[in-house]
Amino acid sequence: MSNRQVELAAAAALGAVSMALALQLLYRQRDEPAQPPAQASFATKKERVVLVTGGSGLVGQGIKSFIATDAEAAANEEWVFLSSKDGDLKSRTDTEAIFRRYKPTHVIHLAAKVGGLFANQKFKVEFYRDNIIINDNVMECCRIFGVRKLVSCLSTCIFPDQTTYPIDESMVHDGPPHKSNEGYAYAKRMIDVLNRCYSDEYGCNMTSIIPTNIYGPHDNFNIENGHVIPGLIHKAFLAKQSGEDLHIWGSGTPLRQFIFSQDLAALTVWTLRDYHDPEPIILSVGEEEEVSIKDVALMVAEASGLPLERVVFDTDKSDGQFKKTACNKKLRKLQPSYKFKPIKQGIQESVDWFFANYEAARK
């Protein structure tokens, strides 16, 4: 054997050893969490420890408000609301450290990389990869650490772009999502796939919720990247301060379903405790409660103390998709008597909160 052949054989052997070691490390990481740095101990005598990822956001704060007056939570549950300061969920080591510290029995997974239309269009790879990694770390840690129940939050943007209305839970994978946010949407869809896979292979109790348009206190009120209602509330605040008109993009004719954050919170907690099916569930007001953007804008103006004649619709701007109607029949079959907060009341509470917390609010 020539010297060159010996070198190649040695390199091949070294490569095989390296691959074997890498595979051993991969499978060790899969089933044996790495030892995290020492952290302050966490102890509770409660029966359940509920860990909420993304706990500082709109939905997390809604859940925090809901459980503050909930008897079951007070008696039997310890709730832990995580923020980015507690660790990077893109890091397996950080995620394992969080699970090892708090030893959750239940998890509500709200954390995600999110952004507006421009960001979703420009950074599709990052939105896909970051969310895939976050979701994989959380879901796998739930399996390894023996979490009894995981509820993850999806979005109506995961539904096919070309579809019929109303949309329901059976239609998630019927076609590709809108191209503008396909990175984010496909990453979220994979949660639904893995809920079933973990159930089939490991017997894990994992499911997901699909809310429609959420609004309420602690929202992101950024005008450019926020959602409809918080963006309108911020614009109304500025219009009131400046004495100028409140300009609304488009004709105001598109229809949307809105769910108040504390309604979503109550239904999310119900899902955690009582809904045990890997198939997702839409959490939304009914089809009959769709409202036009025009009506929403007028409610925001009224709640803000702006004269309605100062609301101007810029009809030269695009309206966007006319409707995205979601069916809540599955929810209503299981929760027939649940009463949603009327949107006018919810908008008033959201306006009052933003005006009182303008300096500290996300915007």
Side-chain angles (χ1 to χ4, degrees), residues 23-35 92 96 100 140-141 143-146 198 201-202:
L23 286 172
Q24 288 177 7
L25 177 61
L26 174 65
Y27 285 105
R28 185 192 70 77
Q29 287 180 335
R30 177 174 173 80
D31 294 309
E32 299 177 15
Q35 293 298 320
R92 177 65 176 270
E96 289 175 354
R100 187 177 292 277
E140 181 65 353
C141 280
R143 180 189 75 84
I144 292 173
F145 286 87
Y198 272 104
E201 185 170 349
Y202 295 108

Side-chain angles (χ1 to χ4, degrees), residues 228-244:
V228 176
I229 290 180
L232 288 174
I233 291 173
H234 192 176
K235 289 173 75 172
F237 177 89
L238 297 177
K240 188 172 183 180
Q241 296 295 311
S242 66
E244 297 178 355

Side-chain angles (χ1 to χ4, degrees), residues 235-236 238-240 242-248 306-314:
K235 289 173 75 172
L238 297 177
K240 188 172 183 180
S242 66
E244 297 178 355
D245 291 338
L246 172 58
H247 285 266
I248 313 298
L306 280 175
L308 299 187
E309 58 268 19
R310 284 175 54 188
V311 179
V312 178
F313 293 90
D314 295 334

Side-chain angles (χ1 to χ4, degrees), residues 13 78 96 105 120 135 153 167 175 256 286 289 322 327 342 352:
E78 190 75 45
E96 289 175 354
T105 60
N120 270 279
N135 299 336
C153 188
I167 51 178
R256 295 290 183 269
E289 294 186 61
F322 177 66
C327 174
D352 292 344

Side-chain angles (χ1 to χ4, degrees), residues 86-102:
D86 294 292
D88 181 3
L89 294 179
K90 297 192 299 297
S91 162
R92 177 65 176 270
T93 301
D94 281 12
T95 309
E96 289 175 354
I98 289 168
F99 275 72
R100 187 177 292 277
R101 179 184 183 191
Y102 292 110

